[in-house]
Amino acid sequence: MAMEAGSSAKGSSIGRSIPRRDGAGKVSGSAIYAANIVRPRMLHAKVLRSPLPRARITAIDTSRAAKVPGVRAVVTARDLQARLGCEIIFGSVLIDQPMLAIDEVRHVGEPVAAVAAEEPEAAEEALGLIDVQYEELPPVLNARDALAPGAPLVHQAMNLSGQYKVFFAFNPVAGTNMCNHHVITVGDLQAGFAASDLIVEGVYTSPSTQHCCMEPHATVAEYAGGRLTVWTSSQAPYAVQTRLGPLFHLRPEQVRVVVHNVGGGFGGKSNLKLEPLASALAMLLGRPVKHVTTRREEFYITSKHAVEYRVKTGVSKDGKLLARRCEVLYDTGAYAETGPIVSMKSGYTAAGPYAIPNVLIDIKCIYTNKVPAGSLRGLGVPQVAWGHESQMDEIATCLGIDPFDLRRRNVYPDGGLFVSGENLRHFHLDTLLDEVAAASGWKTRRRAAADGARLARGFGMACTMKNSASPTRSQARIWLSPEGVAEVRSATVEIGQGAGTVLVQLAAESLGMPVERVRLALLDTDVVPFDVGTISDRSTFHMGNAIVAAAADLRRQLLEHASRLLEVPKENLVLRGEAVCVLEAPERKVSFAEIVSAAAPEAGLLGEGEFATTSRLSSIAEQCGEWTTPFWDVAAAVAEVEVDRATGKIKVLRYVCAADAGRAINPALCRQQLAGEILMGIGMTFHEEMRYENGQLINPSFVDYKMPSLRDTPLSVEIVLAESGHPDGPFGAKGIGEVAVPQVSPAISNAVFDAVGIRLTELPLTPERVLRALRAGAKG
Amino acid sequence: MRDFELLYPATIAEACQALRRHGEGARLLAGGTSLVQFLKEGMYVPEVLVALQRIPALDAVVAADGGLRIGAMARLTDLERHAALRQAAPLLRAALHLVGNVRVRNVATLGGNLCHADPHADPPTALVALRAEVVLGDGAQSRQLPVAEFLLDYYETALRPGELLQGIIVPRQERGQVSVYRRFTAVSEEDWPCVTLAAVGSVRGRAPNLACAALRLVVGALEPRPRLIAGIDELLPLEAGDAARRETLAETVMAQLAPVDDLLGSAWYKRQIAGVLAREALADLFQQGAAP
């Protein structure tokens, strides 16, 4: 299935590792971010955050804070409600999150009051002078406790007016802390277990982690002439526009969103964050307001779901999975954020990429009094894959079957019938397993004799599936200037992934132009058309298709105009080298610049395109056989580790990942993405955990919360970039921004088991956990 | 971070005068790598920072009685590369090399590192093992203290109001002396150490009949100040082949420590690691002793 990267036609822009468009600006420091925006008369906002996980606010005295020189306003939820006369509760799925706490705080770090001042220092000083009286309430601090009968309710009443309700079959349960509960069943679970020769059960937990974007959240809001303009660090400018407007009774066109560079998103900037409060302050005060968070505050804004994944599997002695029951608890924190989507979309893959005739998946997304959890690279799949891929290894051990053979025997074939009732379309995980086994030398692997007494080596494997967002829509325009330069107008955000570069390559290829003659327009919703967001691996696929469509529209116009100018039927014309030529007499031609000058002098030509997907997750509920995703993210990986029996420390010696890019538009960027994903997976595996004690986050800084450093990377990372050519992707391409994260933890943990015989079920795999398991194993 | 006044005194006397004048509101600024973190976190809110960068020769390294005198403002990178220091105190050099990363070491100073008095810092553990002393001055008079007595508690030293650290006197490691510095990080490689250990000793005899005749072991990062392990002399001379006694040594180390549970590991785990480092250090000392 692999297609050679260099097989494209000579001069093609596809399959070429051209330099990143955003590179020079970033390394030279000239790139603009939201925090760089300065507006005349701009004020600076800071927020006072709750020190308690759950409490009633009995009084707020802002009088002393208001007297600090330079302070222009100190506001509470009550002030916003009274003076703005608008809704101050927002959300992306459930409308449940206030801009400032109303009467009750629900997590440590929740905004309670805001200050706007001439200088950030004055705002900071004023925060210390706000006097808040709290009456402490018993908090709910984990998902299991939150389900217990009589547990306090994080939200007394859930507001169900969220716009996604129709699309995602999500189901909040009134009178409980569950903001989504869903059960998927296939076949007859009891019969499946009854027919099984072996039943294996386990619970696998993953903690909450942080996105740790290099750029913290930042927003500048300005309200003038009946329009709200927001410069913000967002992955989804149109989501900001469509969700911000209604809060302030503004129509979408009254909200303008501008996004320059974004220093990392990973899902943490895909919904409203600072925008509502900054906008409210700007409207209230009639002056532009800037709000930039500190690194510490970043830890209180959004996070990854802590997950408890309970799985029971029945299997025949020849290694066929016959039944699997999964219960997945997602701790979504105090506000739903995208939790209902995360739980639904990863939950329905919780049984893993395996054809199992009898399945039950019980998905519960649960409110607790912790930092809200939303989308984070992999959207819940890393947490469920941690469980199902660890257990695959346990089953293989119990049955004495090679873990590769067990996976190969059960993995969905292309076209296999998925739990959603759909036949998996263009699904080549079986081939990727073969490729990763070949590349890693799995079949001939030998545990190199390390230091026999102290060091031990082992190999582990994992493979996973993840969907992409749907139904969604992307629109694009390409403007061909009178000079014949093409400008791509797209709302896809450059968040460091290289999307801008890839979209330029797709436009250039579609128009037969060199990439040097294609530029990207600034992302301003007044200029670029709609896109749902730079999320869910969808930019190359969805926006890529929209750009290809816009280019086709432009090509059609060029051919029509050229036909008139050359007096040749357009069927006899062809685009070549920034010109339209006569097919049989290529020397007879008219350049793009000449066509534009003749057809639309000074104005240029505008091509428009759109791509929308209709596949929808709600089909799971009905099991009606519709597609749930336009394409599948699939990858398989092998890890080789060395475990130090004296300290419990794990070193990853080698990591091999085979991922399907469909078609690598820019192979270097694909490899960078995958390497970045693996490193993020290394962080989730070994280092990262938001640690809570009594509802207090105890490590909200990079001193105490550790991400992997370069010295923590595997000694060798090898990437097999498969190119299966997706029939619906632009030039066969699909997204690969999240595909390689979910295998990392289980592949490494399985390798640890291979090395020293201990099975770890809690992430992260700290040396202490390893040492304790080794000691426990030695005793047992 | 709150506004503060930044002073650049030209002499030690001027610096001490500024400290006396501003009292609690003043803080010394050396390399700033730790101080700036504390300022940003609001843990220190000084009115005045007294910067020592412009005081001449405060970063000099000169020969002193039986060793070297290192100026408080000497940068860690410069010390790492200092030929005389490398020869005189290889243990210190090994510890300096592990501090933070190269960008930190290019700015951080040895005096700043000591005065910050963070128990996780690498140099203090090594300096205690080496019996180093600090020279403290108030502009008029100076006094000398062992590093072990200079460090009092978390972020607390024996500096008196109006006094500053001028230099560190590091005794020359004797001919035939062997030493080792070990650091273990539990979470990320780029992290505060979970446990540090410095050992200085002497090894007699020829392989395989080696014996450790003298040994000074210091464990850092576990308690408010580096812990000098007591009772080792009773185990000496310790023969390389005496596995039981080597284990007794590791247990002696583990038994004397009073670690606490924190983000870097539980007390139990830290004690295990200290035992591992002690065993490794002893093996390393024997290996050095066996080398021709």
Side-chain angles (χ1 to χ4, degrees), chain A residues 208 689-693 696-699 705, chain B residues 262-264:
Chain A
S208 179
E689 176 174 16
M690 286 170 66
R691 297 264 297 253
Y692 287 92
E693 266 178 29
Q696 295 288 341
L697 188 58
I698 59 170
N699 60 342
Y705 179 101
Chain B
D262 62 19
L263 290 164
L264 301 174

Side-chain angles (χ1 to χ4, degrees), chain B residues 4-271:
Chain B
F4 49 80
E5 196 182 342
L6 184 56
L7 302 179
Y8 281 102
T11 64
I12 289 173
E14 267 182 51
C16 294
Q17 208 176 6
L19 287 178
R20 276 191 293 273
R21 192 164 55 242
H22 298 282
E24 292 281 293
R27 284 225 158 244
L28 288 170
L29 171 66
T33 52
S34 296
L35 184 76
V36 172
Q37 291 294 329
F38 274 47
L39 296 179
K40 281 161 79 173
E41 291 288 336
M43 293 174 73
Y44 293 153
V45 190
E47 289 153 22
V48 175
L49 281 188
V50 182
L52 303 178
Q53 278 82 355
R54 295 186 192 164
I55 299 179
L58 204 51
D59 60 353
V61 179
V62 295
D65 199 20
L68 290 174
R69 181 182 154 137
I70 300 170
M73 287 294 285
R75 276 181 287 267
L76 304 189
T77 302
D78 294 337
L79 293 176
E80 259 184 85
R81 294 173 184 165
H82 199 281
L85 181 73
R86 188 185 292 219
Q87 212 174 19
L91 177 69
L92 179 59
R93 196 259 168 196
L96 292 173
H97 183 65
L98 295 174
V99 173
N101 54 51
V102 70
R103 291 164 299 283
V104 168
R105 297 197 294 276
N106 282 343
V107 181
T109 65
L110 187 58
N113 187 289
L114 270 175
C115 291
H116 186 56
D118 188 311
H120 299 100
D122 297 279
T125 308
L127 290 169
V128 171
L130 290 170
R131 300 178 199 272
E133 304 216 333
V134 288
V135 180
L136 313 175
D138 61 6
Q141 289 177 322
S142 68
R143 59 184 178 122
Q144 221 164 299
L145 266 186
V147 170
E149 291 169 34
F150 175 70
L151 301 166
L152 297 183
D153 207 338
Y154 289 99
Y155 314 117
E156 237 186 273
T157 66
L159 277 172
R160 294 172 186 151
E163 204 173 38
L164 59 77
L165 173 64
Q166 289 176 229
I168 300 102
I169 296 175
V170 182
R172 184 177 300 279
Q173 287 185 232
E174 289 157 28
R175 194 178 293 276
Q177 221 177 32
V178 285
S179 62
V180 58
Y181 186 79
R182 280 269 193 284
R183 155 199 250 261
F184 182 84
T185 56
V187 188
S188 159
E189 289 295 321
E190 303 260 352
D191 193 4
W192 286 116
C194 170
V195 187
T196 60
L197 184 144
V200 185
S202 62
V203 174
R204 285 192 317 227
R206 277 169 184 267
N209 299 315
L210 295 166
C212 179
L215 181 59
R216 189 173 159 88
L217 260 177
V218 181
V219 178
L222 297 188
E223 302 175 60
R225 23 197 309 201
R227 162 79 62 180
L228 174 67
I229 303 300
I232 290 182
D233 289 349
E234 293 155 33
L235 300 171
L236 302 178
L238 200 166
E239 285 167 23
D242 189 345
R245 194 171 274 205
R246 286 172 73 157
E247 200 45 39
T248 308
L249 174 78
E251 279 160 19
T252 303
V253 171
M254 289 160 73
Q256 286 177 36
L257 302 169
V260 292
D261 297 343
D262 62 19
L263 290 164
L264 301 174
S266 71
W268 173 83
Y269 183 69
K270 291 176 184 175
R271 199 175 272 122

Side-chain angles (χ1 to χ4, degrees), chain A residues 181-184 325-329 360-364:
Chain A
H181 181 217
H182 207 82
V183 178
I184 298 163
R325 186 190 193 289
C326 311
E327 185 197 28
V328 200
L329 307 188
L360 185 147
I361 304 172
D362 184 340
I363 300 163
K364 297 185 174 87

Side-chain angles (χ1 to χ4, degrees), chain A residues 213-233:
Chain A
C213 297
M214 255 197 260
E215 179 208 21
H217 290 82
T219 297
V220 176
E222 180 172 319
Y223 185 69
R227 287 196 91 202
L228 179 63
T229 303
V230 176
W231 293 261
T232 190
S233 60

Side-chain angles (χ1 to χ4, degrees), chain A residues 517-535:
Chain A
R517 300 274 287 167
V518 182
R519 64 177 300 273
L520 280 165
L522 169 69
L523 203 174
D524 177 337
T525 54
D526 276 3
V527 175
V528 301
F530 181 84
D531 175 61
V532 81
T534 305
I535 55 169

Side-chain angles (χ1 to χ4, degrees), chain A residues 639-714:
Chain A
E640 184 185 0
V641 305
E642 184 173 87
V643 183
D644 184 337
R645 287 197 181 91
T647 61
K649 208 165 211 182
I650 303 163
K651 191 195 284 180
V652 182
L653 303 174
R654 186 173 177 223
Y655 193 89
V656 187
C657 174
D660 183 8
R663 178 84 165 94
I665 304 299
N666 186 316
L669 286 177
C670 287
R671 287 173 188 281
Q672 283 175 14
Q673 273 291 291
L674 293 167
E677 290 162 45
I678 291 163
L679 190 56
M680 205 149 178
I682 292 282
M684 294 176 190
T685 305
F686 292 122
H687 310 104
E688 300 188 43
E689 176 174 16
M690 286 170 66
R691 297 264 297 253
Y692 287 92
E693 266 178 29
N694 304 319
Q696 295 288 341
L697 188 58
I698 59 170
N699 60 342
S701 78
F702 286 163
V703 174
D704 294 322
Y705 179 101
K706 285 294 160 190
M707 284 184 288
S709 71
L710 278 179
R711 287 160 62 196
D712 297 299
T713 56

